[in-house]
Amino acid sequence: MKATSWTAFLVLAVAGCATLKTARFERPHVTLEAVAVTGLGISGGSLRLDVDVYNPNEYDIRTSEFRGEVQFEETDFGEVTHSDVAVLPSESTARLEVPMTFTWEGVGAAARGMLARGSVSYRLKGHMFVWTPGGDHRVTIETGGVVAIMDLVRRE
């Protein structure tokens, strides 16, 4: 390669890095879309939380960890962790399937109420770590609302 070609390449590479460093980071928006009952037993059960994560940025980001505390019907239900790397495409939504187990002790009334209706109120608080072209971020999550219950146990 000629010296002028190397110079042009280096200028473009430095300009590209500078652009990525100045790209504004907007935190992803997290919504619990559905709860699926995946197992029930004498001591408790298991759920799958379908969590939608919207990436408002003009670039892809990756998440390496999602941790949170879940309340259903204003009762602490448990903690969730999703440690798989997930790519969150730019300006779109990606779904994370987050497993959760619970015991009847302490959450029995909320669990029974949740299973008796087709929906439940929830609160999800926690954080996730994301990798961006401009660096790593720890994003705080706090969301709530009403979510549908999908009873997979009876369908299988």
Side-chain angles (χ1 to χ4, degrees), residues 56-76:
N57 297 289
E58 295 178 352
Y59 48 85
D60 293 355
I61 59 177
R62 293 182 304 153
T63 179
S64 61
E65 181 180 77
F66 174 92
R67 289 185 182 265
E69 298 172 357
V70 179
Q71 287 185 339
F72 291 125
E73 299 297 323
E74 299 179 12
T75 301
D76 291 335

Side-chain angles (χ1 to χ4, degrees), residues 49 66-70 78-82 98-101 124:
L49 308 181
F66 174 92
R67 289 185 182 265
E69 298 172 357
V70 179
E79 296 181 358
V80 295
T81 301
H82 184 274
V98 182
M100 178 180 182
T101 58
L124 175 61

Side-chain angles (χ1 to χ4, degrees), residues 92-107:
S92 60
T93 301
R95 174 150 299 168
L96 303 179
E97 294 181 351
V98 182
M100 178 180 182
T101 58
F102 66 91
T103 61
W104 293 116
E105 184 177 289
V107 298

